Short mmCIF file of all heavy atoms in Angstrom, two decimals:
data_model
loop_
_atom_site.label_atom_id
_atom_site.label_comp_id
_atom_site.label_asym_id
_atom_site.label_seq_id
_atom_site.Cartn_x
_atom_site.Cartn_y
_atom_site.Cartn_z
N MET A 183 71.27 29.70 3.99
CA MET A 183 71.07 28.30 3.69
C MET A 183 70.19 28.10 2.46
O MET A 183 70.38 27.16 1.71
CB MET A 183 70.43 27.66 4.92
CG MET A 183 70.78 26.24 5.20
SD MET A 183 72.46 25.76 4.95
CE MET A 183 72.48 24.34 5.94
N SER A 184 69.24 28.98 2.22
CA SER A 184 68.32 28.80 1.10
C SER A 184 69.01 29.05 -0.24
O SER A 184 68.62 28.45 -1.24
CB SER A 184 67.11 29.71 1.26
OG SER A 184 67.51 31.06 1.17
N THR A 185 70.02 29.93 -0.29
CA THR A 185 70.72 30.17 -1.55
C THR A 185 71.51 28.94 -1.97
O THR A 185 71.63 28.67 -3.17
CB THR A 185 71.66 31.38 -1.44
OG1 THR A 185 72.58 31.17 -0.39
CG2 THR A 185 70.89 32.65 -1.21
N ILE A 186 72.03 28.18 -1.03
CA ILE A 186 72.76 26.95 -1.36
C ILE A 186 71.80 25.92 -1.94
O ILE A 186 72.12 25.24 -2.92
CB ILE A 186 73.49 26.40 -0.11
CG1 ILE A 186 74.59 27.37 0.30
CG2 ILE A 186 74.06 25.02 -0.38
CD1 ILE A 186 75.27 26.99 1.60
N LYS A 187 70.60 25.83 -1.39
CA LYS A 187 69.60 24.90 -1.91
C LYS A 187 69.16 25.30 -3.32
O LYS A 187 68.97 24.45 -4.18
CB LYS A 187 68.39 24.84 -0.98
CG LYS A 187 68.66 24.13 0.31
CD LYS A 187 67.41 24.06 1.16
CE LYS A 187 67.67 23.36 2.47
NZ LYS A 187 66.47 23.30 3.31
N ILE A 188 69.01 26.58 -3.54
CA ILE A 188 68.60 27.07 -4.87
C ILE A 188 69.69 26.78 -5.89
O ILE A 188 69.41 26.30 -7.00
CB ILE A 188 68.26 28.57 -4.82
CG1 ILE A 188 66.99 28.78 -4.01
CG2 ILE A 188 68.09 29.13 -6.22
CD1 ILE A 188 66.65 30.22 -3.75
N LEU A 189 70.94 27.05 -5.55
CA LEU A 189 72.04 26.76 -6.47
C LEU A 189 72.17 25.26 -6.74
O LEU A 189 72.43 24.85 -7.87
CB LEU A 189 73.35 27.32 -5.92
CG LEU A 189 73.48 28.84 -5.91
CD1 LEU A 189 74.77 29.26 -5.24
CD2 LEU A 189 73.39 29.39 -7.31
N PHE A 190 71.97 24.45 -5.71
CA PHE A 190 72.02 23.01 -5.89
C PHE A 190 70.89 22.55 -6.81
O PHE A 190 71.09 21.71 -7.70
CB PHE A 190 71.91 22.30 -4.53
CG PHE A 190 71.91 20.80 -4.64
CD1 PHE A 190 73.08 20.12 -4.93
CD2 PHE A 190 70.74 20.09 -4.46
CE1 PHE A 190 73.09 18.75 -5.04
CE2 PHE A 190 70.74 18.72 -4.56
CZ PHE A 190 71.91 18.04 -4.85
N PHE A 191 69.70 23.10 -6.65
CA PHE A 191 68.57 22.76 -7.49
C PHE A 191 68.81 23.15 -8.95
O PHE A 191 68.51 22.39 -9.86
CB PHE A 191 67.29 23.43 -6.97
CG PHE A 191 66.09 23.16 -7.81
CD1 PHE A 191 65.48 21.92 -7.79
CD2 PHE A 191 65.57 24.15 -8.63
CE1 PHE A 191 64.36 21.67 -8.59
CE2 PHE A 191 64.47 23.91 -9.42
CZ PHE A 191 63.87 22.67 -9.39
N ILE A 192 69.37 24.33 -9.18
CA ILE A 192 69.67 24.79 -10.54
C ILE A 192 70.73 23.88 -11.18
O ILE A 192 70.60 23.49 -12.35
CB ILE A 192 70.12 26.26 -10.53
CG1 ILE A 192 68.93 27.15 -10.17
CG2 ILE A 192 70.71 26.68 -11.87
CD1 ILE A 192 69.30 28.60 -9.94
N ALA A 193 71.75 23.52 -10.43
CA ALA A 193 72.79 22.63 -10.95
C ALA A 193 72.21 21.25 -11.26
O ALA A 193 72.52 20.66 -12.31
CB ALA A 193 73.94 22.52 -9.96
N LEU A 194 71.37 20.74 -10.39
CA LEU A 194 70.74 19.44 -10.61
C LEU A 194 69.83 19.47 -11.83
O LEU A 194 69.83 18.55 -12.65
CB LEU A 194 69.95 19.02 -9.37
CG LEU A 194 69.30 17.65 -9.41
CD1 LEU A 194 70.37 16.57 -9.49
CD2 LEU A 194 68.43 17.46 -8.20
N LEU A 195 69.08 20.53 -11.99
CA LEU A 195 68.21 20.69 -13.15
C LEU A 195 69.02 20.74 -14.44
O LEU A 195 68.64 20.13 -15.45
CB LEU A 195 67.37 21.96 -12.99
CG LEU A 195 66.34 22.24 -14.07
CD1 LEU A 195 65.26 21.17 -14.07
CD2 LEU A 195 65.72 23.61 -13.85
N PHE A 196 70.14 21.43 -14.43
CA PHE A 196 71.01 21.51 -15.59
C PHE A 196 71.56 20.13 -15.96
O PHE A 196 71.56 19.74 -17.12
CB PHE A 196 72.15 22.50 -15.34
CG PHE A 196 73.13 22.57 -16.47
CD1 PHE A 196 72.83 23.26 -17.63
CD2 PHE A 196 74.36 21.93 -16.38
CE1 PHE A 196 73.73 23.31 -18.69
CE2 PHE A 196 75.27 21.98 -17.41
CZ PHE A 196 74.95 22.67 -18.57
N VAL A 197 72.02 19.38 -14.97
CA VAL A 197 72.60 18.05 -15.23
C VAL A 197 71.54 17.10 -15.78
O VAL A 197 71.79 16.36 -16.74
CB VAL A 197 73.24 17.49 -13.94
CG1 VAL A 197 73.59 16.02 -14.08
CG2 VAL A 197 74.47 18.28 -13.56
N VAL A 198 70.34 17.12 -15.20
CA VAL A 198 69.27 16.24 -15.68
C VAL A 198 68.86 16.62 -17.10
O VAL A 198 68.67 15.75 -17.96
CB VAL A 198 68.06 16.29 -14.71
CG1 VAL A 198 66.85 15.61 -15.31
CG2 VAL A 198 68.43 15.66 -13.39
N SER A 199 68.74 17.90 -17.39
CA SER A 199 68.37 18.35 -18.73
C SER A 199 69.43 17.97 -19.75
O SER A 199 69.12 17.47 -20.84
CB SER A 199 68.15 19.86 -18.75
OG SER A 199 67.12 20.22 -17.88
N PHE A 200 70.68 18.20 -19.42
CA PHE A 200 71.78 17.87 -20.33
C PHE A 200 71.84 16.36 -20.58
O PHE A 200 72.03 15.93 -21.72
CB PHE A 200 73.11 18.37 -19.75
CG PHE A 200 74.28 18.11 -20.65
CD1 PHE A 200 74.49 18.88 -21.77
CD2 PHE A 200 75.16 17.08 -20.38
CE1 PHE A 200 75.57 18.65 -22.61
CE2 PHE A 200 76.24 16.82 -21.21
CZ PHE A 200 76.44 17.61 -22.33
N SER A 201 71.64 15.56 -19.54
CA SER A 201 71.66 14.10 -19.69
C SER A 201 70.52 13.62 -20.57
O SER A 201 70.71 12.74 -21.42
CB SER A 201 71.58 13.43 -18.32
OG SER A 201 72.65 13.79 -17.52
N THR A 202 69.35 14.19 -20.41
CA THR A 202 68.20 13.80 -21.21
C THR A 202 68.40 14.13 -22.68
O THR A 202 68.15 13.31 -23.57
CB THR A 202 66.92 14.48 -20.69
OG1 THR A 202 66.75 14.16 -19.31
CG2 THR A 202 65.71 14.07 -21.47
N ILE A 203 68.87 15.33 -22.96
CA ILE A 203 69.11 15.73 -24.35
C ILE A 203 70.21 14.87 -24.97
O ILE A 203 70.10 14.45 -26.13
CB ILE A 203 69.45 17.23 -24.42
CG1 ILE A 203 68.21 18.05 -24.05
CG2 ILE A 203 69.97 17.63 -25.80
CD1 ILE A 203 68.47 19.52 -23.87
N SER A 204 71.26 14.58 -24.24
CA SER A 204 72.33 13.73 -24.75
C SER A 204 71.82 12.33 -25.06
O SER A 204 72.18 11.74 -26.09
CB SER A 204 73.48 13.65 -23.75
OG SER A 204 74.05 14.91 -23.55
N PHE A 205 70.99 11.77 -24.19
CA PHE A 205 70.43 10.43 -24.42
C PHE A 205 69.59 10.40 -25.69
O PHE A 205 69.69 9.46 -26.48
CB PHE A 205 69.59 9.99 -23.22
CG PHE A 205 68.87 8.70 -23.45
CD1 PHE A 205 69.55 7.50 -23.41
CD2 PHE A 205 67.52 8.70 -23.72
CE1 PHE A 205 68.90 6.31 -23.63
CE2 PHE A 205 66.85 7.51 -23.94
CZ PHE A 205 67.54 6.31 -23.90
N ILE A 206 68.78 11.40 -25.90
CA ILE A 206 67.93 11.44 -27.10
C ILE A 206 68.78 11.54 -28.35
O ILE A 206 68.54 10.84 -29.34
CB ILE A 206 66.92 12.61 -27.01
CG1 ILE A 206 65.89 12.32 -25.93
CG2 ILE A 206 66.25 12.87 -28.34
CD1 ILE A 206 64.96 13.47 -25.62
N LYS A 207 69.80 12.39 -28.34
CA LYS A 207 70.66 12.55 -29.52
C LYS A 207 71.45 11.28 -29.82
O LYS A 207 71.61 10.90 -30.98
CB LYS A 207 71.63 13.72 -29.32
CG LYS A 207 70.97 15.05 -29.29
CD LYS A 207 70.45 15.43 -30.65
CE LYS A 207 69.91 16.84 -30.62
NZ LYS A 207 69.37 17.24 -31.91
N ILE A 208 71.96 10.60 -28.81
CA ILE A 208 72.79 9.41 -29.01
C ILE A 208 71.93 8.22 -29.43
O ILE A 208 72.33 7.44 -30.29
CB ILE A 208 73.59 9.10 -27.73
CG1 ILE A 208 74.64 10.18 -27.52
CG2 ILE A 208 74.25 7.73 -27.81
CD1 ILE A 208 75.34 10.10 -26.18
N SER A 209 70.75 8.05 -28.85
CA SER A 209 69.94 6.86 -29.12
C SER A 209 69.16 6.95 -30.42
O SER A 209 68.58 5.97 -30.87
CB SER A 209 68.98 6.60 -27.96
OG SER A 209 68.04 7.63 -27.88
N ASN A 210 69.11 8.09 -31.06
CA ASN A 210 68.39 8.26 -32.32
C ASN A 210 69.30 7.88 -33.47
O ASN A 210 69.89 8.73 -34.13
CB ASN A 210 67.89 9.70 -32.44
CG ASN A 210 66.88 9.85 -33.55
OD1 ASN A 210 66.41 8.88 -34.10
ND2 ASN A 210 66.56 11.08 -33.87
N ASP A 211 69.42 6.57 -33.75
CA ASP A 211 70.40 6.10 -34.73
C ASP A 211 69.83 5.93 -36.14
O ASP A 211 70.58 5.75 -37.09
CB ASP A 211 71.01 4.79 -34.26
CG ASP A 211 69.98 3.73 -33.97
OD1 ASP A 211 68.78 3.99 -34.18
OD2 ASP A 211 70.37 2.64 -33.54
N HIS A 212 68.54 5.96 -36.32
CA HIS A 212 67.89 5.84 -37.63
C HIS A 212 68.30 4.56 -38.36
O HIS A 212 68.47 4.58 -39.58
CB HIS A 212 68.18 7.06 -38.50
CG HIS A 212 67.47 8.29 -38.07
ND1 HIS A 212 66.19 8.57 -38.43
CD2 HIS A 212 67.85 9.31 -37.26
CE1 HIS A 212 65.82 9.71 -37.89
NE2 HIS A 212 66.80 10.17 -37.18
N LEU A 213 68.44 3.44 -37.66
CA LEU A 213 68.81 2.19 -38.33
C LEU A 213 67.69 1.68 -39.23
O LEU A 213 67.97 1.03 -40.25
CB LEU A 213 69.17 1.12 -37.29
CG LEU A 213 70.49 1.34 -36.55
CD1 LEU A 213 70.68 0.24 -35.51
CD2 LEU A 213 71.65 1.34 -37.51
N GLU A 214 66.46 1.92 -38.88
CA GLU A 214 65.34 1.43 -39.67
C GLU A 214 64.82 2.48 -40.65
O GLU A 214 63.75 2.30 -41.22
CB GLU A 214 64.22 0.98 -38.74
CG GLU A 214 64.62 -0.19 -37.85
CD GLU A 214 63.49 -0.62 -36.94
OE1 GLU A 214 62.34 -0.17 -37.15
OE2 GLU A 214 63.75 -1.39 -36.02
N CYS A 215 65.54 3.55 -40.85
CA CYS A 215 65.10 4.61 -41.74
C CYS A 215 65.83 4.53 -43.08
O CYS A 215 66.92 3.98 -43.17
CB CYS A 215 65.37 5.98 -41.12
SG CYS A 215 64.43 6.25 -39.61
N ASP A 216 65.20 5.09 -44.09
CA ASP A 216 65.79 5.07 -45.43
C ASP A 216 65.38 6.35 -46.15
O ASP A 216 64.36 6.96 -45.84
CB ASP A 216 65.29 3.85 -46.19
CG ASP A 216 66.13 3.53 -47.40
OD1 ASP A 216 67.26 4.06 -47.51
OD2 ASP A 216 65.67 2.74 -48.23
N THR A 217 66.19 6.74 -47.11
CA THR A 217 65.88 7.89 -47.94
C THR A 217 65.58 7.40 -49.35
O THR A 217 66.40 6.72 -49.97
CB THR A 217 67.06 8.89 -47.98
OG1 THR A 217 67.34 9.29 -46.64
CG2 THR A 217 66.71 10.10 -48.81
N ILE A 218 64.39 7.72 -49.84
CA ILE A 218 63.95 7.27 -51.16
C ILE A 218 64.01 8.47 -52.11
O ILE A 218 63.54 9.56 -51.78
CB ILE A 218 62.52 6.71 -51.10
CG1 ILE A 218 62.47 5.49 -50.19
CG2 ILE A 218 62.01 6.37 -52.48
CD1 ILE A 218 61.08 4.96 -49.96
N LEU A 219 64.59 8.26 -53.28
CA LEU A 219 64.64 9.30 -54.30
C LEU A 219 63.52 9.05 -55.30
O LEU A 219 63.38 7.96 -55.85
CB LEU A 219 65.98 9.29 -55.02
CG LEU A 219 67.20 9.63 -54.18
CD1 LEU A 219 68.47 9.47 -55.01
CD2 LEU A 219 67.11 11.04 -53.67
N LYS A 220 62.71 10.07 -55.55
CA LYS A 220 61.64 9.98 -56.54
C LYS A 220 61.93 10.99 -57.64
O LYS A 220 62.21 12.15 -57.38
CB LYS A 220 60.28 10.29 -55.90
CG LYS A 220 59.82 9.25 -54.92
CD LYS A 220 58.43 9.59 -54.41
CE LYS A 220 57.93 8.51 -53.48
NZ LYS A 220 56.58 8.81 -52.99
N ARG A 221 61.85 10.52 -58.86
CA ARG A 221 62.07 11.41 -60.00
C ARG A 221 60.74 11.60 -60.73
O ARG A 221 60.06 10.66 -61.08
CB ARG A 221 63.11 10.81 -60.94
CG ARG A 221 64.45 10.73 -60.28
CD ARG A 221 65.51 10.28 -61.20
NE ARG A 221 66.76 10.25 -60.44
CZ ARG A 221 67.90 9.90 -60.94
NH1 ARG A 221 68.00 9.56 -62.20
NH2 ARG A 221 68.97 9.92 -60.19
N GLU A 222 60.40 12.85 -60.94
CA GLU A 222 59.15 13.21 -61.58
C GLU A 222 59.40 14.30 -62.61
O GLU A 222 60.43 14.97 -62.59
CB GLU A 222 58.14 13.71 -60.55
CG GLU A 222 57.82 12.74 -59.45
CD GLU A 222 56.94 13.35 -58.37
OE1 GLU A 222 56.76 14.60 -58.38
OE2 GLU A 222 56.45 12.60 -57.53
N LEU A 223 58.44 14.49 -63.49
CA LEU A 223 58.49 15.59 -64.44
C LEU A 223 57.57 16.70 -63.94
O LEU A 223 56.42 16.45 -63.57
CB LEU A 223 58.05 15.13 -65.83
CG LEU A 223 58.97 14.13 -66.53
CD1 LEU A 223 58.34 13.69 -67.85
CD2 LEU A 223 60.33 14.72 -66.76
N ASP A 224 58.08 17.94 -63.92
CA ASP A 224 57.23 19.04 -63.51
C ASP A 224 56.39 19.51 -64.68
O ASP A 224 56.42 18.93 -65.77
CB ASP A 224 58.05 20.17 -62.89
CG ASP A 224 59.01 20.82 -63.87
OD1 ASP A 224 59.08 20.37 -65.03
OD2 ASP A 224 59.68 21.80 -63.48
N LYS A 225 55.63 20.58 -64.49
CA LYS A 225 54.71 21.03 -65.54
C LYS A 225 55.43 21.59 -66.76
O LYS A 225 54.85 21.69 -67.83
CB LYS A 225 53.73 22.07 -64.98
CG LYS A 225 54.39 23.33 -64.47
CD LYS A 225 53.37 24.27 -63.90
CE LYS A 225 54.04 25.51 -63.36
NZ LYS A 225 53.07 26.44 -62.79
N ASN A 226 56.71 21.96 -66.62
CA ASN A 226 57.49 22.46 -67.76
C ASN A 226 58.25 21.35 -68.47
O ASN A 226 58.93 21.60 -69.45
CB ASN A 226 58.48 23.52 -67.28
CG ASN A 226 57.76 24.75 -66.75
OD1 ASN A 226 56.69 25.10 -67.22
ND2 ASN A 226 58.35 25.39 -65.76
N GLY A 227 58.17 20.13 -67.98
CA GLY A 227 58.83 19.01 -68.62
C GLY A 227 60.23 18.73 -68.09
O GLY A 227 60.93 17.88 -68.63
N PHE A 228 60.65 19.44 -67.05
CA PHE A 228 61.96 19.20 -66.46
C PHE A 228 61.88 18.07 -65.44
O PHE A 228 60.89 17.92 -64.74
CB PHE A 228 62.49 20.47 -65.77
CG PHE A 228 62.75 21.60 -66.72
CD1 PHE A 228 61.94 22.73 -66.69
CD2 PHE A 228 63.80 21.54 -67.63
CE1 PHE A 228 62.18 23.77 -67.57
CE2 PHE A 228 64.03 22.58 -68.49
CZ PHE A 228 63.22 23.70 -68.47
N GLU A 229 62.96 17.29 -65.38
CA GLU A 229 63.02 16.19 -64.42
C GLU A 229 63.40 16.74 -63.05
O GLU A 229 64.40 17.43 -62.90
CB GLU A 229 64.03 15.15 -64.87
CG GLU A 229 64.02 13.91 -64.03
CD GLU A 229 64.93 12.83 -64.59
OE1 GLU A 229 64.92 12.63 -65.80
OE2 GLU A 229 65.64 12.23 -63.78
N VAL A 230 62.58 16.42 -62.06
CA VAL A 230 62.78 16.90 -60.70
C VAL A 230 62.99 15.69 -59.80
O VAL A 230 62.28 14.70 -59.88
CB VAL A 230 61.56 17.70 -60.21
CG1 VAL A 230 61.74 18.16 -58.78
CG2 VAL A 230 61.29 18.88 -61.12
N THR A 231 64.01 15.77 -58.93
CA THR A 231 64.29 14.70 -57.98
C THR A 231 63.87 15.15 -56.59
O THR A 231 64.27 16.21 -56.12
CB THR A 231 65.80 14.35 -57.98
OG1 THR A 231 66.19 14.02 -59.31
CG2 THR A 231 66.09 13.19 -57.06
N LYS A 232 63.05 14.33 -55.95
CA LYS A 232 62.59 14.62 -54.59
C LYS A 232 63.11 13.53 -53.66
O LYS A 232 63.10 12.36 -54.00
CB LYS A 232 61.07 14.65 -54.52
CG LYS A 232 60.43 15.77 -55.29
CD LYS A 232 58.94 15.75 -55.10
CE LYS A 232 58.29 16.88 -55.90
NZ LYS A 232 56.83 16.88 -55.73
N GLN A 233 63.55 13.95 -52.47
CA GLN A 233 64.00 13.00 -51.46
C GLN A 233 62.90 12.86 -50.41
O GLN A 233 62.33 13.84 -49.96
CB GLN A 233 65.27 13.48 -50.77
CG GLN A 233 66.48 13.47 -51.64
CD GLN A 233 67.72 13.87 -50.87
OE1 GLN A 233 67.65 14.24 -49.70
NE2 GLN A 233 68.85 13.81 -51.52
N GLU A 234 62.61 11.61 -50.04
CA GLU A 234 61.60 11.35 -49.02
C GLU A 234 62.23 10.48 -47.93
O GLU A 234 62.82 9.45 -48.22
CB GLU A 234 60.40 10.64 -49.63
CG GLU A 234 59.27 10.40 -48.68
CD GLU A 234 58.07 9.77 -49.35
OE1 GLU A 234 57.92 9.91 -50.57
OE2 GLU A 234 57.29 9.13 -48.64
N HIS A 235 62.09 10.92 -46.70
CA HIS A 235 62.65 10.20 -45.55
C HIS A 235 61.57 9.27 -45.01
O HIS A 235 60.54 9.71 -44.53
CB HIS A 235 63.10 11.19 -44.47
CG HIS A 235 63.80 10.55 -43.32
ND1 HIS A 235 65.11 10.16 -43.37
CD2 HIS A 235 63.35 10.23 -42.09
CE1 HIS A 235 65.45 9.64 -42.22
NE2 HIS A 235 64.39 9.67 -41.42
N VAL A 236 61.81 7.95 -45.12
CA VAL A 236 60.85 6.95 -44.67
C VAL A 236 61.43 6.27 -43.43
O VAL A 236 62.54 5.76 -43.46
CB VAL A 236 60.57 5.91 -45.77
CG1 VAL A 236 59.61 4.85 -45.27
CG2 VAL A 236 60.04 6.60 -47.00
N CYS A 237 60.67 6.27 -42.35
CA CYS A 237 61.14 5.71 -41.10
C CYS A 237 60.13 4.69 -40.58
O CYS A 237 58.95 5.00 -40.44
CB CYS A 237 61.35 6.83 -40.09
SG CYS A 237 62.54 6.45 -38.84
N ASN A 238 60.59 3.47 -40.30
CA ASN A 238 59.71 2.41 -39.82
C ASN A 238 59.82 2.20 -38.31
O ASN A 238 59.29 1.22 -37.79
CB ASN A 238 60.02 1.09 -40.53
CG ASN A 238 59.76 1.18 -42.01
OD1 ASN A 238 58.85 1.87 -42.43
ND2 ASN A 238 60.56 0.49 -42.80
N GLU A 239 60.51 3.08 -37.62
CA GLU A 239 60.66 2.94 -36.18
C GLU A 239 59.35 3.22 -35.48
O GLU A 239 58.55 4.05 -35.93
CB GLU A 239 61.72 3.91 -35.66
CG GLU A 239 63.11 3.61 -36.15
CD GLU A 239 64.11 4.65 -35.67
OE1 GLU A 239 63.68 5.75 -35.29
OE2 GLU A 239 65.29 4.34 -35.68
N LYS A 240 59.10 2.53 -34.38
CA LYS A 240 57.88 2.75 -33.62
C LYS A 240 57.91 4.12 -32.95
O LYS A 240 56.94 4.85 -32.96
CB LYS A 240 57.72 1.66 -32.57
CG LYS A 240 56.42 1.72 -31.83
CD LYS A 240 56.24 0.54 -30.91
CE LYS A 240 54.92 0.61 -30.20
NZ LYS A 240 54.71 -0.52 -29.29
N TYR A 241 59.06 4.45 -32.38
CA TYR A 241 59.24 5.76 -31.74
C TYR A 241 60.37 6.48 -32.44
O TYR A 241 61.47 5.98 -32.50
CB TYR A 241 59.55 5.61 -30.26
CG TYR A 241 58.48 4.86 -29.50
CD1 TYR A 241 58.70 3.55 -29.09
CD2 TYR A 241 57.28 5.46 -29.22
CE1 TYR A 241 57.70 2.87 -28.40
CE2 TYR A 241 56.29 4.78 -28.53
CZ TYR A 241 56.51 3.49 -28.13
OH TYR A 241 55.55 2.82 -27.46
N SER A 242 60.13 7.64 -32.97
CA SER A 242 61.16 8.42 -33.63
C SER A 242 61.37 9.70 -32.83
O SER A 242 60.52 10.58 -32.80
CB SER A 242 60.75 8.75 -35.06
OG SER A 242 61.77 9.46 -35.70
N LEU A 243 62.50 9.77 -32.16
CA LEU A 243 62.79 10.95 -31.32
C LEU A 243 63.51 11.99 -32.12
O LEU A 243 64.47 11.79 -32.75
CB LEU A 243 63.62 10.53 -30.10
CG LEU A 243 62.97 9.48 -29.22
CD1 LEU A 243 63.94 9.06 -28.13
CD2 LEU A 243 61.70 10.00 -28.59
#
């Protein structure tokens, strides 16, 4: 009887973990985020483009 309980617990743990990870991936839509391009000159005089990810969300998962 105890092996059935252990297998049920492992299956339940797997389902809960998979559901949680799926929820985080799906709900992270980045609607309030933006990518800003900054162009600068390095010490050799070459133009360098840097990307910066700016996010205004209260919670970023």
Side-chain angles (χ1 to χ4, degrees):
M183 212 40 159
S184 65
T185 57
I186 293 174
K187 288 182 181 179
I188 291 173
L189 290 176
F190 179 74
F191 178 74
I192 291 172
L194 183 65
L195 183 65
F196 177 76
V197 168
V198 169
S199 299
F200 182 76
S201 299
T202 304
I203 292 171
S204 297
F205 174 75
I206 290 172
K207 292 290 186 181
I208 291 170
S209 66
N210 193 10
D211 55 3
H212 287 276
L213 289 177
E214 297 180 11
C215 296
D216 196 15
T217 302
I218 297 174
L219 295 175
K220 291 184 177 180
R221 295 186 180 180
E222 302 174 349
L223 293 176
D224 65 357
K225 62 182 179 180
N226 295 328
F228 295 111
E229 187 174 317
V230 178
T231 304
K232 294 183 181 180
Q233 291 184 356
E234 183 177 336
H235 185 79
V236 178
C237 206
N238 296 327
E239 293 177 341
K240 186 174 181 180
Y241 302 106
S242 182
L243 301 175

